């Protein structure tokens, strides 16, 4: 009986059709946005992005072949790696996104650039590209194989995924100086940073939700104040001090970024010696996170 339950838990549950359709729509929009950022802003101005996309841009420039062709071919091996590391849903989402990206980069290629101002092209191209990539990542796919490769390499070397990606992109963005010019390489670095920030904003959300942990002898009073003055629900957890062995009541709550200052004030007013830990949260679902009106 135990083995049957374990097998059922390990099986992937099918997503509702409405959820699947929404994912397809969002991945399509994300891929089109990335194609727009590349072909309407960055590529015509000889500015590249990091990762496989950057390599594809340089190869397309050197050979004169279509960018979409290189994006599709160079990312294919990483789709297989993604299948091994993340499962078939991720692989299917990724291959679909890459196909849409390849088609629309070819479709947008004859269109003249929206601006020839290199700084404007870098800023808006990086931002649009990052939003597109973020939408795809948030919906279970990817448009560049670099992160998948970094995930595999990180298991064999003493470096994090982020460090490996940064190391690879130093060489890729540096190569832009030889293929184009060194000022274009510097603009490419700027576009890469902007795109990274845009990706984080989309994937993690703009609200910057925070989790709060409070340990205090006045836990009930603080909890009531957070509920009444912030309109946020709280959860009490039972803890035990490892050193003293004393029972502790721990307050857990979720707040928004702009409520952090007020919460800190509440805690300091009631118990200046209270332990307070605040951390960023990428996403909150379910429960009773919705803020209650306060008067």
């Amino acid at each position: 009986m135990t083995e049957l339950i374990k097998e059922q838990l390990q099986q992937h549950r099918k997503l509702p059709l409405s959820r699947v359709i929404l994912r397809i729509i969002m991945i399509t929009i994300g891929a089109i946005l990335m194609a727009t950022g590349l072909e309407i802003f960055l590529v015509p101005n000889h500015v590249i992005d990091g990762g496989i996309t950057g390599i594809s841009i340089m190869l397309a420039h050197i050979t004169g072949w279509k960018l979409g062709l290189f994006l599709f071919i160079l990312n294919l091996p990483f789709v297989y790696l993604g299948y091994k590391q993340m499962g078939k849903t991720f692989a299917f989402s990724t291959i679909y996104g890459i196909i849409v990206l390849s088609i629309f980069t070819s479709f947008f290629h004859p269109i003249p650039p929206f601006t020839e101002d290199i700084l404007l092209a870098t800023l808006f191209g990086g931002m649009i590209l990052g939003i597109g990539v973020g939408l795809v990542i948030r919906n279970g796919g990817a448009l560049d194989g670099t992160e998948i490769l970094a995930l595999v390499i990180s298991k064999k070397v003493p470096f994090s995924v982020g460090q490996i990606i940064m190391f690879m992109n130093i060489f890729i963005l540096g190569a832009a100086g030889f293929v184009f010019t060194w000022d274009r390489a510097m603009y490419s670095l700027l576009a890469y940073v902007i795109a990274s920030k845009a990706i984080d904003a989309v994937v993690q959300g703009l609200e910057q939700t925070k989790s709060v942990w409070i340990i205090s002898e006045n836990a009930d009073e603080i909890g009531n104040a957070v509920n009444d003055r912030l309109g946020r629900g709280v959860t009490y957890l039972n803890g035990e001090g490892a050193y003293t062995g004393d029972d502790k009541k721990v307050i857990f709550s979720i707040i928004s970024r702009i409520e952090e200052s007020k919460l800190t004030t509440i805690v300091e007013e009631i118990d200046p010696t209270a332990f307070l830990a605040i951390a960023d949260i990428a996403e909150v679902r379910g429960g009773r996170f919705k803020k209650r009106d306060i008067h």
Side-chain angles (χ1 to χ4, degrees):
M1 184 66 179
T2 305
E3 290 297 324
L4 178 61
I5 295 173
K6 185 177 180 181
E7 184 179 341
Q8 290 175 343
L9 290 172
Q10 289 176 341
Q11 290 178 349
H12 293 284
R13 294 182 179 179
K14 290 185 177 180
L15 291 172
L17 181 60
S18 58
R19 186 74 179 275
V20 173
I21 293 173
L22 180 61
R23 278 194 173 189
I24 292 172
I25 292 172
M26 298 308 291
I27 290 174
T28 303
I29 293 172
I32 293 173
L33 283 174
M34 182 174 178
T36 303
L38 288 173
E39 287 289 2
I40 306 298
F41 289 92
L42 299 181
V43 175
N45 289 286
H46 296 160
V47 178
I48 73 168
D49 184 34
I52 301 302
T53 304
I55 296 174
S56 299
I57 293 171
M58 288 186 286
L59 288 175
H61 175 75
I62 293 170
T63 63
W65 295 359
K66 293 288 182 67
L67 172 60
L69 180 64
F70 285 107
L71 287 171
F72 182 76
I73 294 175
L74 295 183
N75 275 303
L76 275 182
F78 301 106
V79 174
Y80 178 74
L81 280 177
Y83 172 74
K84 290 293 185 181
Q85 295 292 323
M86 307 287 288
K88 63 180 181 180
T89 302
F90 173 82
F92 289 152
S93 299
T94 299
I95 191 66
Y96 172 73
I98 290 170
I99 289 172
V100 174
L101 173 64
S102 301
I103 291 172
F104 275 88
T105 50
S106 299
F107 179 73
F108 290 154
H109 185 70
I111 300 174
F114 194 81
T115 178
E116 294 183 358
D117 184 308
I118 183 65
L119 182 58
L120 287 176
T122 300
L123 291 173
F124 283 90
M127 184 170 59
I128 293 170
L129 184 148
I131 292 172
V133 173
L135 283 175
V136 174
I137 292 175
R138 195 176 176 97
N139 286 276
L143 292 176
D144 191 287
T146 309
E147 291 191 11
I148 302 171
L149 178 62
L151 182 66
V152 176
I153 295 175
S154 66
K155 295 181 178 180
K156 301 180 180 180
V157 296
F159 299 105
S160 68
V161 173
Q163 289 171 329
I164 295 169
I165 291 173
M166 182 179 68
F167 183 75
M168 288 189 291
N169 281 326
I170 287 173
F171 285 96
I172 294 169
L173 295 171
F178 294 98
V179 176
F180 301 115
T181 58
W182 288 107
D183 67 328
R184 289 304 191 266
M186 289 186 282
Y187 278 116
S188 297
L189 178 59
L190 178 59
Y192 172 72
V193 172
I194 293 169
S196 299
K197 294 298 181 182
I199 291 170
D200 291 341
V202 174
V203 174
Q204 297 178 6
L206 295 172
E207 294 183 359
Q208 296 185 343
T209 308
K210 295 176 178 288
S211 63
V212 180
W213 302 82
I214 307 168
I215 302 176
S216 170
E217 298 297 331
N218 303 311
D220 290 329
E221 189 177 350
I222 293 175
N224 291 334
V226 171
N227 202 312
D228 294 336
R229 293 166 61 182
L230 278 184
R232 294 295 186 187
V234 298
T235 299
Y236 295 116
L237 307 172
N238 294 320
E240 180 181 337
Y243 181 73
T244 62
D246 295 338
D247 292 333
K248 301 286 185 180
K249 181 177 280 190
V250 182
I251 303 170
F252 175 75
S253 186
I254 302 292
I255 62 173
S256 66
R257 177 174 55 86
I258 60 174
E259 293 169 331
E260 180 179 347
S261 177
K262 188 170 183 179
L263 176 110
T264 304
T265 301
I266 290 172
V267 174
E268 288 178 349
E269 286 176 356
I270 298 173
D271 184 4
T273 63
F275 172 82
L276 172 63
I278 301 175
D280 293 330
I281 293 182
E283 188 173 1
V284 177
R285 295 188 182 184
R288 296 184 177 179
F289 173 64
K290 188 175 180 180
K291 183 178 174 66
R292 179 176 56 80
D293 291 336
I294 54 178
H295 301 283

